[in-house]
């Protein structure tokens, strides 16, 4: 299976929750497919109320990302998992 880089945005029904998790701008995930994205995102928000995905953009490139915040605060796009926000 091939990994793909995705940019995910969430419904903004609870912007406070999104900001508290560092995903007010969105989330960068490398995954096999959209089913895999759901597993990764669900694990990230474990214990929080359900967050609804608004949009998924596939095969994003580094050049497509916002340069002043996202690029400066991201992890490795080549590995499966969340690369924005950068997990410590």
């Amino acid at each position: 299976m091939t990994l793909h880089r995705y940019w995910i945005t969430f419904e903004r029904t609870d912007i406070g929750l999104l900001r508290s998790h560092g995903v007010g701008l969105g989330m960068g995930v490398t995954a096999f497919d959209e089913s895999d994205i759901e597993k990764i995102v669900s694990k990230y928000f474990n214990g929080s109320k359900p967050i609804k995905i608004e949009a998924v953009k596939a095969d994003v490139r580094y050049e497509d990302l916002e340069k002043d915040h996202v690029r400066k605060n991201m992890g490795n796009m080549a590995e499966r998992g969340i690369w924005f926000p950068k997990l410590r």
Side-chain angles (χ1 to χ4, degrees):
M1 294 183 85
T2 303
L3 287 169
H4 298 273
R5 296 173 309 277
Y6 297 94
W7 185 256
I8 301 160
T9 54
F10 300 95
E11 289 186 7
R12 302 182 73 76
T13 54
D14 191 343
I15 190 65
L17 179 63
L18 295 175
R19 287 184 179 152
S20 72
H21 280 80
V23 295
L25 294 175
M27 176 183 272
V29 175
T30 298
F32 295 112
D33 54 30
E34 291 197 27
S35 175
D36 195 29
I37 290 171
E38 290 179 16
K39 292 175 194 171
I40 293 169
V41 170
S42 177
K43 185 175 180 182
Y44 182 75
F45 285 105
N46 188 29
S48 299
K49 68 182 189 179
I51 303 296
K52 293 184 182 177
I53 293 175
E54 179 178 71
V56 176
K57 181 178 178 184
D59 299 318
V60 295
R61 300 173 309 148
Y62 179 81
E63 297 79 19
D64 298 332
L65 302 171
E66 189 274 331
K67 67 178 183 170
D68 294 323
H69 183 69
V70 175
R71 288 187 197 175
K72 292 180 180 180
N73 297 290
M74 61 184 277
N76 187 347
M77 295 175 81
E79 295 178 0
R80 181 183 174 273
I82 297 169
W83 43 266
F84 182 84
K86 184 176 183 179
L87 303 176
R88 306 214 188 306

